[in-house]
Amino acid sequence: MNILAIESSCDETAVAVVRDGRNLLADCIASQVDIHRLYGGVVPEIASRKHVEAIYPLAEEALKTAGLTRRDVDAVAVTFAPGLIGAVLVGVNFAKAAALTLGVPLIPVHHIRGHIAANYLTHPDLEPPFLCLVVSGGHTMLVDVRDYTEMEILGGTRDDAAGECFDKIARVLGMPYPGGAALDRRSQAGDPKRYPMPKVRVDGNPLDLSFSGLKTAAINLIHNAAQKGETLEIPDLCASVSQAVSDALTTRAALALRQTGRTTLAVAGGVAANSRIRADLTVLAEQTGVRLCLPELRFCGDNGAMIGAQAYYEYLAGHTADMTLNAYATKSMIGEQLS
Ligand code: KG4
Ligand code: ZN
């Protein structure tokens, strides 16, 4: 089954062609990062306009790359939530029009379910059940993936997401948007013990997290040093922040593994590219005898391939939509069935 998959929830227009959920035939991306960098963050109206310009030629390019014609498309999939509403709307309306004109099913895909499914492309033998640590710019949570379309959120951040925490600290350090990857690069030569950071702690669910305290502590450190005319060792600061984020995530992942008894841990989302988090989770997996699945770097950030991968399983579960499909900014139905 050839699925034409559309992703437009933030600042990347992406169209992929995926066969039977696992076989990637084309993965085309038009990134807008250079434009939004001028403003220090994503400007929603600009994002929507750029999606409008990019989406049709990108779909044509994806089919050409896959060596397919429109008649070979068996279904159209699209991210319907969550995301910037204007941006998601562009993808949803394009997908509706494409499905209608091609006379094929329309498959709505939750963006986070897509991130999780990126692992199916990198690890062809991976099958649920498994535990997934989702770490993106907007989400941080531990998900029990019971089946391809049956998931439960076990815990997550009460405030900032891990990516947001990295990006905000990177911005104060003068790194270009989105700063997570730059902060990661600078951290590599740094001493993670140089600047002690507060431990991430919340009351209640031990699998929950909070990154706002850590973010504020790091930003205060930078501002105080500037006021006193002191020079900070930037690689050391980046390493200290990365270690604190990684410690918070790794301890939650370890606890969730113990609680659920799952023997496979997958990681998903843009922050899954972080070198310290990848290294620390690798150690955790070795110590606990758990299988660790990390997505290839090209499937960590937003892409169409992950949407096409998840769409296949949504289709098998009967989760298709008609022309009344809507776009949602915040719909958090990762654990629920689509109606
Ligand atoms: O999953 P994603 O592409 O978009 C959302 O769905 O939010 O994640 C983007 C986030 C950004 O915050 C970006 O700074 C972060 O992923 N990111 C990283 C790294 N590469 C991307 N954060 C830390 N280390 C990295 N290497
Ligand atoms: Zn994403």
Side-chain angles (χ1 to χ4, degrees):
M1 178 183 203
N2 296 323
I3 297 181
L4 182 74
I6 319 282
E7 156 62 43
S8 71
S9 64
C10 192
D11 57 353
E12 323 270 12
T13 321
V15 184
V17 181
V18 183
R19 182 171 289 165
D20 298 336
R22 303 267 178 168
N23 189 358
L24 182 58
L25 304 185
D27 191 19
C28 300
I29 297 193
S31 178
Q32 307 175 3
V33 163
D34 290 345
I35 302 156
H36 297 292
R37 189 164 283 156
L38 302 173
Y39 304 93
V42 180
V43 183
E45 177 64 15
I46 295 177
S48 306
R49 286 167 189 248
K50 291 289 162 193
H51 286 310
V52 171
E53 286 168 21
I55 201 157
Y56 182 79
L58 208 62
E60 292 281 299
E61 186 191 324
L63 282 180
K64 199 167 157 214
T65 308
L68 301 179
T69 68
R70 290 182 197 184
R71 246 173 286 144
D72 300 316
V73 174
D74 299 307
V76 178
V78 65
T79 299
F80 75 98
L84 302 170
I85 189 64
V88 188
L89 262 172
V90 177
V92 165
N93 284 314
F94 180 84
K96 280 159 76 166
L100 190 66
T101 45
L102 299 175
V104 296
L106 174 65
I107 311 169
V109 176
H110 189 284
H111 183 76
I112 299 301
R113 288 192 186 208
H115 272 302
I116 295 170
N119 284 285
Y120 302 140
L121 297 163
T122 302
H123 308 282
D125 59 333
L126 175 65
E127 287 180 9
F130 58 87
L131 185 74
C132 189
L133 173 65
V134 177
V135 273
S136 74
H139 294 77
T140 300
M141 51 198 183
L142 277 152
V143 181
D144 189 30
V145 183
R146 294 190 183 139
D147 206 341
Y148 288 103
T149 61
E150 252 180 66
M151 302 174 201
E152 187 193 353
I153 299 171
L154 303 176
T157 183
R158 303 245 180 107
D159 40 57
D160 293 350
E164 208 176 337
C165 174
F166 278 130
D167 291 348
K168 286 184 177 155
I169 296 169
R171 187 176 172 163
V172 177
L173 289 171
M175 295 172 183
Y177 167 85
L183 190 148
D184 185 15
R185 274 193 301 277
R186 292 300 300 277
S187 78
Q188 275 162 29
D191 172 7
K193 296 206 176 86
R194 172 73 186 266
Y195 298 106
M197 291 287 147
K199 278 232 174 307
V200 169
R201 227 179 250 128
V202 290
D203 293 333
N205 183 355
L207 294 178
D208 277 354
L209 305 118
S210 157
F211 286 113
S212 64
L214 171 61
K215 175 192 72 182
T216 307
I219 293 175
N220 284 347
L221 185 77
I222 300 163
H223 286 155
N224 287 342
Q227 275 163 7
K228 291 184 198 155
E230 289 169 6
T231 312
L232 289 170
E233 289 302 322
I234 302 303
D236 292 348
L237 178 60
C238 292
S240 301
V241 166
S242 302
Q243 192 61 63
V245 172
S246 182
D247 285 347
L249 296 171
T250 306
T251 50
R252 297 322 184 273
L255 180 60
L257 285 167
R258 282 203 299 279
Q259 279 187 3
T260 58
R262 297 285 181 229
T263 52
T264 301
L265 172 66
V267 193
V271 183
N274 183 271
S275 57
R276 196 160 298 264
I277 295 169
R278 289 173 93 94
D280 288 349
L281 290 175
T282 302
V283 172
L284 172 72
E286 280 164 10
Q287 284 170 347
T288 54
V290 158
R291 177 184 180 193
L292 177 67
C293 291
L294 296 165
E296 263 169 81
L297 292 182
R298 65 184 173 134
F299 297 139
C300 288
D302 294 344
N303 61 85
M306 67 187 202
I307 301 303
Q310 180 61 21
Y312 179 65
Y313 298 103
E314 299 289 353
Y315 177 80
L316 294 182
H319 300 165
T320 55
D322 62 18
M323 289 302 131
T324 61
L325 175 67
N326 217 335
Y328 299 92
T330 57
K331 201 140 193 161
S332 178
M333 60 199 316
I334 183 169
E336 296 164 22
Q337 297 272 329
L338 283 171
S339 54

